Amino acid sequence: MTPAGAAPAGLDATLRALADPTRRGVVDLLRDGPRRAGDLALALGATPPAMSRHLRVLRRRGLVSERSHPDAARVRVYRLEPAPFAELGRWLAAVEALWSEQLESFAAHVQRREGQT
Amino acid sequence: MTPAGAAPAGLDATLRALADPTRRGVVDLLRDGPRRAGDLALALGATPPAMSRHLRVLRRRGLVSERSHPDAARVRVYRLEPAPFAELGRWLAAVEALWSEQLESFAAHVQRREGQT
DNA sequence: GCAATATTTAACTCAATAGATAACTAAATG
DNA sequence: CATTTAGTTATCTATTGAGTTAAATATTGC
C-alpha cells in the first residue's frame, strides 16, 4: 500500500510540514528534480543548519527522501516522495467534490437547521 | 458571503489554517453543508471559545464564511468557501505533475549534478 | 426591561517551533 | 595525516499559537 519504509505520517503531519514557506520552497524546487542540501539552502536563503532542520521535518513526514550523491558520499541529495502528496490530494478532492453536492443537499440542511433551532 | 476584498490569503495562510486537526475537522463537517458555530464545537469536543478562535482563523484565511441564521440572528452559520481549496489544488497538481516529468528529466539532472560536483 | 441563549473577545498560561551560533561527524584532497 | 568541504546536531532564545476561564456583546423570549 505504502512504499516500503516511508509511511506517510498522516494528513496532519503533511499539512504541518507544508505550512512553512521555506519547506514549501523546498518542495517547489524539488519539483524540478533532486537537489543537494546545500543547494537548497543557498537557493532559499537559509543557513545550512536551518535547512537541515527543515529537511529533517520533511523527511520524517515522508515528503522527501535522502540519498548520498553517487560520486560524493558527503553530499546528500533530496527528492520528493509522492505518497503524502497523493494522500493530501485525495482529501482535497473529497472536500472539493462538495461544491456540487452542496447545492443538491441544500434543502436537507435547511430542514436540519430548522429542526435544531 | 465573502466580501469582494477577502481574497484567499495565499497558500501559506491556507496551509497554516489546515495544519490543525480541529480546523480540519471543521472543514470535514462543513463538507456536508453549513453548520452553526455551537454545533461545530459540540461535534468536535471543543469549548465555544476555542471553536470561535478556530473559526476566526478559518474566516480570516477565507476558507469559510459566516452568516446569521435566517430565523435567529444570534446563531452564526458557517460554510466552506471554495477559492482557497482551489488554489491549494492547483499547487498540489503542479507538484504531482512531476512524478511523470521527473523520470523524463532524470538524465538532465544527473548531468547538472555532475557539473556541480 | 430582565433573564436566558449563542457566540465572541480578553487575559493568561503552556507547549511547539523557527532561527542563530557554535560545535561535531564524515568524507574528499593536497 | 592535516585541512577543507558538506552536512548535521546541540543549545539557546524568541515567537507563535492553542487551550482555559471569565467577562462582554448581542439577540430572543417572558
Side-chain angles (χ1 to χ4, degrees):
Chain A
M1 204 166 170
T2 305
L11 268 184
D12 194 67
T14 299
L15 285 165
R16 272 211 312 274
L18 293 176
D20 176 279
T22 301
R23 288 195 291 264
R24 216 162 44 254
V26 168
V27 170
D28 284 329
L29 287 173
L30 292 186
R31 277 171 42 178
D32 297 332
R35 277 178 102 145
R36 318 159 39 147
D39 192 10
L40 292 167
L42 198 66
L44 295 170
T47 62
M51 180 53 66
S52 184
R53 285 169 58 96
H54 282 305
L55 289 172
R56 179 165 52 146
V57 170
L58 290 168
R59 211 185 321 136
R60 285 209 299 215
R61 307 300 198 256
L63 280 85
V64 306
S65 61
E66 171 250 290
R67 307 182 191 184
S68 289
H69 191 292
D71 301 333
R74 69 183 158 175
V75 173
R76 315 239 177 134
V77 177
Y78 285 84
R79 70 190 61 208
L80 287 182
E81 289 295 329
F85 295 94
E87 186 189 24
L88 175 55
R90 285 192 299 274
W91 179 76
L92 194 61
V95 173
E96 290 194 296
L98 262 295
W99 310 129
S100 43
E101 274 185 49
Q102 192 140 348
L103 294 173
E104 280 179 49
S105 56
F106 181 63
H109 295 305
V110 169
Q111 279 191 335
R112 197 204 307 157
R113 292 206 314 255
E114 286 177 348
Q116 283 173 355
T117 303
Chain B
M1 64 167 146
T2 305
L11 269 184
D12 195 68
T14 299
L15 285 164
R16 271 210 312 275
L18 294 177
D20 177 278
T22 301
R23 289 195 291 264
R24 219 161 41 252
V26 168
V27 170
D28 284 329
L29 286 172
L30 292 185
R31 277 171 41 178
D32 296 332
R35 279 178 101 143
R36 319 157 40 146
D39 191 9
L40 292 168
L42 199 66
L44 294 170
T47 62
M51 179 54 66
S52 183
R53 284 166 55 99
H54 284 304
L55 290 171
R56 178 167 50 150
V57 170
L58 290 168
R59 211 185 322 134
R60 286 208 300 212
R61 308 300 197 253
L63 280 87
V64 306
S65 61
E66 172 249 292
R67 306 183 191 183
S68 289
H69 191 292
D71 302 333
R74 68 183 157 176
V75 173
R76 315 241 176 132
V77 177
Y78 285 85
R79 69 190 61 207
L80 287 181
E81 287 296 329
F85 294 94
E87 186 189 24
L88 175 55
R90 285 192 299 274
W91 179 76
L92 194 60
V95 173
E96 290 194 296
L98 262 296
W99 310 130
S100 42
E101 274 185 51
Q102 192 140 347
L103 293 174
E104 281 179 48
S105 56
F106 181 63
H109 295 305
V110 170
Q111 280 191 334
R112 196 206 303 157
R113 291 206 314 253
E114 286 176 348
Q116 282 174 353
T117 303

